[in-house]
Amino acid sequence: MNTAILTTLLSLNAAARAGGTVTADQLTPWLNTHLPSLRSRIEALRDGATWQEVGALLEAAVQAGQALKLVVLGTARGLLVAHLIGYLIRELVPVTPATAWLHALAQSGVLSGLIEAAYRRIFPGG
């Protein structure tokens, strides 16, 4: 799955701090560090989720995004994280009556908005 995730993230052409767009060599160490935790949080949502669990996932996503600060410019970090979370939800959470709303969230712009709101709560004034 890491190759598919990496391909998906690279297709976003996120701006790299060093110029140009972010590369696989720049994203791979980040994915290796943060993917296991994010994946495990999302797998825990397979039987349904509470807003508290989703909030904890969003906070973990923000922390993962902050880890990209030295590699990726500005809002591109949030875009990468939102796409990663959406991808993981689609791949790891079966569509059931209890999880259909998670899939709707992952397919909408609402996920990016929630990540932005979590960022502003965790890093006020940032």
Side-chain angles (χ1 to χ4, degrees):
M1 182 178 350
N2 284 1
T3 302
I5 292 171
L6 190 56
T7 300
T8 298
L9 296 180
L10 290 173
S11 73
L12 299 173
N13 295 316
R17 193 164 292 284
T21 59
V22 72
T23 66
D25 288 341
Q26 292 169 314
L27 285 182
T28 298
W30 174 77
L31 274 174
N32 290 342
T33 300
H34 296 281
L35 184 60
S37 171
L38 293 172
R39 181 184 177 130
S40 139
R41 287 181 181 276
I42 289 171
E43 285 175 335
L45 308 178
R46 293 177 69 121
D47 295 328
T50 65
W51 277 110
Q52 183 178 10
E53 291 169 321
V54 171
L57 170 62
L58 293 173
E59 287 186 19
V62 168
Q63 295 297 336
Q66 276 298 98
L68 283 170
K69 193 171 187 170
L70 297 177
V71 177
V72 179
L73 287 174
T75 58
R77 293 190 306 269
L79 181 65
L80 288 169
V81 170
H83 273 77
L84 174 59
I85 298 299
Y87 180 93
L88 291 172
I89 288 171
R90 287 187 303 277
E91 292 297 315
L92 300 174
V93 178
V95 180
T96 67
T99 63
W101 69 276
L102 286 170
H103 286 272
L105 186 69
Q107 295 171 8
S108 71
V110 174
L111 181 58
S112 293
L114 288 173
I115 290 172
E116 176 68 21
Y119 178 86
R120 291 176 188 261
R121 188 173 66 70
I122 295 169
F123 300 104

